[in-house]
Amino acid sequence: MRAPIRRVAALAALVAAATCATAYAITIEVGPVWVSATATAQPRVLPKPGHGNVPITLTSITRVGTHDGSTPPTLKSLQFVLDRNGTIDTRGLPTCSVAKLEGTTPGQARKACGGALVGTGTAKVLVTMPGRAPFSFVSPLSFFNGPRPNGAPTLIAHGYETVPAPKTLLVPIAIERISGGRYGYRVDVEMPEFADGYGAPLLAEAKIGATRKRGGRTVGYLNAHCAGGRLQVHGTARFTNGDSFPVTLTSPCHSPG
């Protein structure tokens, strides 16, 4: 995407977010291509600042399509920065490794690393192979708590495809603590190659937020409190052709009393 078009896309996202402060979904269009993003945090009733955090579930949905029926550009990566009023807590949570997940189906992966499972989702991919009519396939996604190199939390995303042959897709996801401004964590997701390079993702959906008992209390992988009436996520979808779509998403929250 040329720089002026990138600026138009970014401006559209910022204007929409500013004028719809309680909305948490947005669609950006550049030419025939559109990208829709949604972020939702549950529950919406959360403690006030200074009154601790409670477990939450964060659902993220990214869709890609075109208005003219053409093949969309291939999604290369997703980056999210997460509200500083939320925390990631992995204390006492089992971990899983890439080596343990290699060659597994979705069911085998969840059986092998069930204790480390912190989220699930779905990916839908459009495949345009030479000599075949375009078709799509859907893969379940699993997100496992990964090792902590340098003390930083990580995730391992697990997917599975059967075209052109059965194959396990594993994506290590880096989670970095950041400071300053509205956000507290940055999550970088590099998309795998689908269908030997002939696949273009149409949907990436994830629901993250496992809970467990610790010291007689229920604690979550994600925990948060409410400040300013919202939890906020900023996401950027980048494509192999250079296009970049930034969006700012908010999920409303309030505190009791």
Side-chain angles (χ1 to χ4, degrees), residues 189-209:
V189 184
E190 294 294 328
M191 303 299 290
E193 183 180 80
F194 294 97
D196 284 350
Y198 294 108
L202 302 178
L203 168 70
E205 178 179 8
K207 184 176 182 179
I208 310 293

Side-chain angles (χ1 to χ4, degrees), residues 154-244:
T154 64
L155 288 171
I156 301 173
H158 178 287
Y160 194 76
E161 66 179 17
T162 57
V163 177
K167 183 179 179 181
T168 302
L169 304 171
L170 298 175
V171 179
I173 300 174
I175 303 173
E176 180 183 356
R177 184 76 179 179
I178 59 177
S179 60
R182 177 79 195 190
Y183 304 105
Y185 292 92
R186 183 172 65 216
V187 181
D188 292 300
V189 184
E190 294 294 328
M191 303 299 290
E193 183 180 80
F194 294 97
D196 284 350
Y198 294 108
L202 302 178
L203 168 70
E205 178 179 8
K207 184 176 182 179
I208 310 293
T211 61
R212 62 196 182 281
K213 292 289 185 179
R214 187 176 67 215
R217 296 175 55 244
T218 299
V219 295
Y221 178 77
L222 297 178
N223 305 272
H225 61 269
C226 186
R230 72 189 189 279
L231 292 173
Q232 188 164 298
V233 176
H234 180 81
T236 303
R238 294 185 173 90
F239 295 81
T240 54
N241 66 354
D243 290 359
S244 179

Side-chain angles (χ1 to χ4, degrees), residues 31-161:
V33 180
W34 57 265
V35 177
S36 172
T38 302
T40 309
Q42 294 287 352
R44 294 190 178 175
V45 179
L46 300 172
K48 300 176 183 178
H51 290 74
N53 296 322
V54 297
I56 66 166
T57 299
L58 180 64
T59 301
S60 160
I61 304 174
T62 302
R63 292 184 172 89
V64 181
T66 60
H67 293 297
D68 61 2
S70 60
T71 300
T74 300
L75 184 62
K76 178 182 179 182
S77 66
L78 292 169
Q79 183 185 86
F80 300 97
V81 283
L82 308 178
D83 201 301
R84 68 183 181 186
N85 296 302
T87 63
I88 297 174
D89 186 349
T90 63
R91 289 174 293 171
L93 183 64
T95 63
C96 192
S97 66
V98 168
K100 195 168 184 179
L101 293 169
E102 286 180 343
T104 59
T105 65
Q108 290 169 341
R110 294 180 186 182
K111 184 177 181 179
C113 293
L117 184 69
V118 297
T120 58
T122 303
K124 184 178 181 180
V125 178
L126 175 67
V127 181
T128 52
M129 287 182 168
R132 295 188 62 174
F135 64 96
S136 63
F137 71 85
V138 175
S139 169
L141 299 178
S142 303
F143 298 89
F144 299 97
N145 182 43
R148 295 178 61 96
N150 304 318
T154 64
L155 288 171
I156 301 173
H158 178 287
Y160 194 76
E161 66 179 17

